[in-house]
Each structure stands twice: as C-alpha cells, then as structure tokens.
Amino acid sequence: MIEMAKKTKLDKVMEVSIRRGFVFPTAEIYGGFAGVYDFGPIGSLLKEKLLKLWTDMFVKSEIDPPVFMVDGAVVLPFPVLKASGHVDHFVDPVVECKDCKEEVRADHLIEEETGQFVEGLDEMELTKIIRDNSINCPSCGGELADVKVFNLMLGTHVGSKRSIAYMRPETAQIMFLDFKRTATSMRQKLPFGIAQIGKSMRNEVSPRKGLIRLREFGQMEIEMFVNPDRINEHPGFEEKENIKLRLLTREEQKKEDTKILEIIAKEAYEKEILPNKFMAYYLALETLFYTKVGIPWEKFRFRHMLPEETPHYSGGNWDLEIELEGGVIEIVGNAYRRDYDLGNHGKHSGVDLSIEDNGKRLIAHVVEPSFGVERSIYCVLEHCFRDKGYDRDWVWFQFPRAIAPIDVEVYPLMKKDGLDTYAWEMYKELKISGFNVLYDDRGSIGRRYARADEIGCPFCITCDYETLREDTVTIRDRDTMNQIRVKAKEVIDILGKLFKEEIKFEEAGELIS
Ligand SMILES: [Zn+2]
C-alpha cells in the first residue's frame, strides 16, 4: 500500500508563500541555491512592515536611553573576525559519509540518534561517540568518516593583494567597531544603544527547507552599552515592568514535565531570575513586539540557556523561542556579553575603547538582543496561516492589520459600464494616500476575495452598480467576511480609522446582510 506523506504546516505555508509571491527560491531557473531565498513582491512588503514596526518600537520610540541606527559594511577584514573569536571558534562539527559523501552536522546526528547533548565537545570526542554507538549515515546507512570542524564564515579575497576577508557572520561587530565614533559624533554618554538591520552570512552545513536556517539572512540587532555599575538603572523600565513574561528556567529544563514560569518583568528582575534590568526590559519589549506581529503570547517563551550552551564571558543568555508545528525554534538571542567585545577589540586594535562615565574611565558592558528576520517572518506566516477548511474553502493569512503586506484591494464588479474607470480612480487615490493597494478585475468577485485572503489582505473594496447611482462602495472584512457599504468619498478616512483600530468594522458603515 502506498501511503501519501501528510503535508506538514511548513509544506503548506511554503507552497502558498512561493505561489503568491512572499518568497522565491533564489536562482530557481538554475535549479535553486540551497539555503538562500528571495523575498517576492508580497514578501518584501511584509518584511518592510515588520522591520518598520521593529524600528519604531526598538529604536525610534526609545527615549532614555536612546538607540541610534547605523548601516555598516557586509564585508569585513580578517583582523576584526580574528579579534571577535569567529576565525578560531565559529565552527560546526561535520561528518562525511564514506559511501554517498553526504555531509551532516555531527552534533545534530548524535543528538537525534542518542538523545545525548554534545555541544562543546571536540571532534575527537564526537568521533568516539559515533564509533561507540555505531552511528551510520542517515541517508544510505554507510560508514562515517572522522568528525571534522568546519568554519561557518563565508570567506573571500579583496583587492589585488587578495587579502583574506569575510562576509560578516552577524551584524553585531559593526556596532562594536563604530562604538567610539558613535559616542563622540552623537556626543553621547552611557547608557546608549546602537542598532542595525542588515544581512549576515553563514556557511551552514545543512540549511533546512524553508526560512529557518539560511546561508544568507537578515538580522535586527541592538548593542546596548552600559556602565556595569549602573546596569540596574533603566529610566524606561517602569513603563514596561508589568508586562508578563513566559520564562523557562534552568531548573525546569532538567525536569521531565517542564513548566513555564509566568511572571511580570519587574518581579523576574527583583527575584534575580534575570541577570539585570536591561535584560528584563528587552524581554518585556520583545513580548510586546511578537504579540503585535501575530504570535500568540502562549506560543513563545524565553529559555535560560544552559551552562554548556553559554559562552564563558556571558553574564546570562535568554533565547526567545517560538513554538511551531515542527518544534520550537530560537528567534531572538538575548545576551549579557559584559565587556567581552569592546575589551577584545580594544586589545587587538590597540585603540582605547574605554569611555568616561561618572568621573571614571571604563569599558562599557553590552546587553545584546539579536533577532532573526526570516525566522521571525516564517513564524508570523505559520501562526497567521489558516488552512483550507478552517472557516472557508481556501487557505488564508490572518495577519494583524499593522503588518499585512497589502492593505486593501479594489475591484470593479464588471469590466464595463464605467465600473472599471470608477474603481481605477479609487485605486489611484488610495495609492496616492499611501496605502499598499492592488487592483484586480479578473474572475468572479468571490475568486478575487479568495485571492486577497491568500495574501492576508484585510480589506477589499468593490465598485458595483449602486456605486454609479449613489457614490457608495462596499468594503469586505477579511476576518469575518462581513461587508459594509460606505460613501466613496469617506473610504480613505474610514480605512485610516480601521488601521488605527479606532472604529469597529461593523460600525464603520451600513452592514450588508
Ligand atoms: Zn551515505
């Protein structure tokens, strides 16, 4: 009997995402390029809105301490990444099959086969575990070679001397390199943050299907520079201190039946569950951000990284992890990095990176929240995805209005009798007003609504024969599929209020039964 493999949510989400222009496999006409994706026309708009919301919440609205955005280079010279530790330590253990030559991550393979947690072990130790447990190639069952370590950076050569350089493996180094210039050019005292949104590259051994583990990916990062003596003074904390966090402590991770601690940020800080007030502040702000972009609060938590997962210099790492159908994945890394980065760059460059604070020269400590762009977008897609049969006969996305890629679509009921020119004028007017709008005149209105739902468009406007007589149009709501009739000249005002959530949809016009 042939059993059809059941489609996972990931399969379904990727299918509609590729078909409707959210993402495209890079170089698809040449057979694709593993671990790399392009954002299509709809996905680019979704990404733009997500990035804008992040910038508004984490950069622009931050008053005290302020956060400054920089936009740094993607390619970096060898000494930077030598000083940062990436040249020597940014490695993954890899094992090759002697028969089919496939390479897999040795640590992942061992974890899958034995359940043993092996982070931090060297290649000799990993090889021994593979031999002792007679682990073979997961693809063909063949014998595995010895484990080797593999640097994850994508290297290149620059200039006629072909000097070694690397594509940055994280955006963060730029903020450390720009620390001194930012402090002086902005006449800034501690604490202050430097933020950046941009691409990073990592030569992942086995990139996964979809947007979860990519070789080229976006990051949104902040390095918050703080005087360690004042790391528990954050002027903005009070505003966020009552936000309830979901925490997975180290003690709970040891148990069979792990429980999530639900606790407000203030209490988590006061009970010293979190390392400092800045960390508590960011966990609260991230909780706000991810609920705003459509991830249910009970579907994510902050996990205290175990000692073996935490670098020696760290003062505490808490990862934001989101539950997906296929398991839990890390979306944001929050790290109290102490003076590791500025200390190292000061030492290796010979430039004094200390700063004066309260009459004393010191090396600033760093609290770093680091967000994955594609991973965040994938989580939004999966959590907003509504499968066929959920409440209608087609798949759709229930994006929060603030991040819906297309705000509104405009349709003429028929492509004739002046309905088309009326609708086209409305389309133009909405575009000029700054909305993301699509015009669609093909197929039945029902089919057009279904297509709009597939890209998560919150509202659809139809111009019908009553439009010509009364200067009114209908607006259809994606979530309820209800329709209201409104005056054409009030459409822009009503949509503005709907997006600001100032009015309820059913009260914005005359409800059509
Ligand atoms: Zn094999």
Side-chain angles (χ1 to χ4, degrees):
M1 194 172 72
I2 300 164
E3 215 174 290
M4 294 288 281
K6 198 171 171 285
K7 269 195 191 170
T8 63
K9 220 171 190 184
L10 177 101
D11 294 330
K12 292 175 185 177
V13 169
M14 288 309 289
E15 187 278 323
V16 65
S17 297
I18 293 171
R19 182 166 55 79
R20 294 310 315 273
F22 286 91
V23 292
F24 301 138
T26 297
E28 191 178 16
I29 60 169
Y30 288 95
F33 190 38
V36 190
Y37 272 93
D38 300 337
F39 282 100
I42 300 298
S44 297
L45 294 172
L46 178 62
K47 179 179 166 183
E48 184 185 283
K49 288 212 178 166
L50 187 110
L51 264 44
K52 184 184 179 299
L53 186 64
W54 186 87
T55 306
D56 286 346
M57 288 179 70
F58 288 88
V59 182
K60 287 192 176 173
S61 62
E62 292 294 83
I63 297 165
D64 191 8
V67 178
F68 304 104
M69 188 76 97
V70 298
D71 186 4
V74 171
V75 60
L76 290 171
F78 178 85
V80 170
L81 294 149
K82 180 72 181 169
S84 70
H86 286 90
V87 169
D88 298 317
H89 304 299
F90 196 53
V91 290
D92 270 346
V94 176
V95 63
E96 192 190 46
C97 171
K98 287 181 176 173
D99 293 338
C100 73
K101 306 292 173 200
E102 184 168 317
E103 286 189 324
V104 289
R105 281 276 294 269
D107 50 344
H108 291 175
L109 183 64
I110 292 169
E111 278 168 42
E112 273 163 34
E113 295 288 322
T114 69
Q116 206 177 332
F117 195 69
V118 292
E119 197 155 314
L121 298 190
D122 68 24
E123 54 262 57
M124 309 262 279
E125 293 165 311
L126 295 173
T127 304
K128 186 169 184 307
I129 295 172
I130 286 178
R131 301 282 174 255
D132 290 351
N133 290 278
S134 325
I135 299 172
N136 288 330
C137 169
S139 297
C140 76
E143 200 191 327
L144 296 171
D146 288 351
V147 176
K148 286 182 191 142
V149 291
F150 172 82
N151 195 292
L152 286 177
M153 285 194 294
L154 279 164
T156 187
H157 294 92
V158 173
S160 57
K161 295 254 165 54
R162 317 279 303 152
S163 327
I164 298 173
Y166 295 100
M167 310 311 286
R168 62 183 180 191
E170 57 181 27
T171 61
Q173 294 308 318
I174 292 290
M175 287 85 109
F176 306 129
L177 301 173
D178 289 352
F179 167 75
K180 207 180 161 82
R181 283 284 186 200
T182 302
T184 50
S185 65
M186 303 308 288
R187 305 176 57 78
Q188 195 57 51
K189 290 201 161 70
L190 295 180
F192 70 92
I194 309 182
Q196 189 177 198
I197 296 177
K199 290 279 188 109
S200 295
M201 279 155 238
R202 293 181 188 176
N203 198 6
E204 294 288 353
V205 177
S206 41
R208 283 198 240 168
K209 193 158 71 164
L211 303 175
I212 305 299
R213 192 184 299 137
L214 296 174
R215 288 181 169 144
E216 181 178 328
F217 57 96
Q219 287 187 299
M220 309 180 278
E221 292 192 298
I222 299 166
E223 306 303 325
M224 177 54 71
F225 298 97
V226 189
N227 177 342
D229 298 335
R230 291 163 57 199
I231 198 152
N232 291 316
E233 297 166 30
H234 188 302
F237 185 68
E238 255 176 57
E239 271 177 50
K240 308 282 188 303
E241 65 181 16
N242 288 318
I243 292 171
K244 202 185 257 184
L245 312 175
R246 300 181 80 241
L247 304 180
L248 180 53
T249 62
R250 281 184 176 167
E251 295 74 67
E252 282 296 322
Q253 291 174 59
K254 286 184 210 140
K255 295 180 191 167
E256 283 273 306
D257 178 28
T258 54
K259 286 207 172 59
I260 304 288
L261 175 66
E262 296 181 1
I263 186 169
I264 59 167
K266 182 175 192 255
E267 227 185 309
Y269 158 69
E270 282 172 357
K271 289 188 172 166
E272 295 183 5
I273 298 167
L274 300 175
N276 55 61
K277 210 176 238 187
F278 278 83
M279 180 74 85
Y281 177 82
Y282 276 118
L283 268 45
L285 201 53
E286 288 162 26
T287 298
L288 270 187
F289 177 75
Y290 281 98
T291 46
K292 266 194 188 180
V293 297
I295 313 294
W297 179 80
E298 66 280 4
K299 293 291 183 192
F300 63 93
R301 81 295 175 86
F302 297 93
R303 184 169 73 84
H304 192 187
M305 306 301 280
L306 298 169
E308 57 268 35
E309 298 173 285
T310 309
H312 61 91
Y313 51 80
S314 168
N317 283 40
W318 286 80
D319 277 5
L320 188 157
E321 298 179 330
I322 298 184
E323 220 178 282
L324 296 172
E325 188 194 63
V328 167
I329 62 159
E330 177 214 331
I331 301 295
V332 185
N334 293 287
Y336 174 31
R337 301 179 60 87
R338 302 191 204 262
D339 63 358
Y340 179 79
D341 305 284
L342 290 179
N344 261 341
H345 282 303
K347 200 166 68 193
H348 283 82
S349 67
V351 175
D352 178 14
L353 296 181
S354 68
I355 187 166
E356 197 184 299
D357 193 66
N358 268 359
K360 176 173 136 189
R361 285 210 82 81
L362 56 93
I363 300 292
H365 277 211
V366 162
V367 176
E368 174 196 79
S370 169
F371 298 65
V373 173
E374 287 80 2
R375 286 177 175 219
S376 295
I377 288 176
Y378 180 74
C379 290
V380 168
L381 288 170
E382 186 171 314
H383 278 286
C384 295
F385 178 76
R386 303 289 172 259
D387 205 353
K388 192 172 168 176
Y390 172 81
D391 66 347
R392 54 199 83 173
D393 292 335
W394 51 91
V395 300
W396 63 290
F397 285 107
Q398 192 166 19
F399 296 128
R401 286 171 196 168
I403 59 155
I406 297 294
D407 300 315
V408 57
E409 295 198 359
V410 181
Y411 315 140
L413 183 66
M414 302 285 199
K415 265 198 280 188
K416 58 179 187 184
D417 301 332
L419 292 171
D420 44 356
T421 45
Y422 198 105
W424 186 255
E425 284 306 312
M426 175 150 289
Y427 163 72
K428 280 199 315 202
E429 224 179 290
L430 286 163
K431 265 197 115 102
I432 291 162
S433 302
F435 289 100
N436 291 345
V437 203
L438 289 181
Y439 181 84
D440 190 356
D441 60 8
R442 280 153 306 150
S444 69
I445 290 290
R447 284 294 308 141
R448 286 180 247 175
Y449 286 155
R451 283 200 293 267
D453 287 350
E454 278 186 335
I455 56 168
C457 175
F459 302 109
C460 299
I461 294 174
T462 302
C463 302
D464 55 15
Y465 287 98
E466 216 171 310
T467 303
L468 300 180
R469 291 194 302 272
E470 314 277 345
D471 271 324
T472 60
V473 296
T474 67
I475 308 180
R476 180 232 190 217
D477 176 52
R478 176 198 65 198
D479 296 353
T480 60
M481 298 188 275
N482 282 340
Q483 291 177 51
I484 52 173
R485 186 170 284 281
V486 303
K487 291 200 177 80
K489 65 174 193 299
E490 289 173 6
V491 161
I492 287 170
D493 182 48
I494 289 169
L495 284 176
K497 285 180 178 156
L498 286 170
F499 277 100
K500 283 186 209 142
E501 318 249 345
E502 287 172 3
I503 41 167
K504 281 207 178 99
F505 179 79
E506 284 73 15
E507 288 157 13
E510 184 199 330
L511 195 63
I512 302 169
S513 52

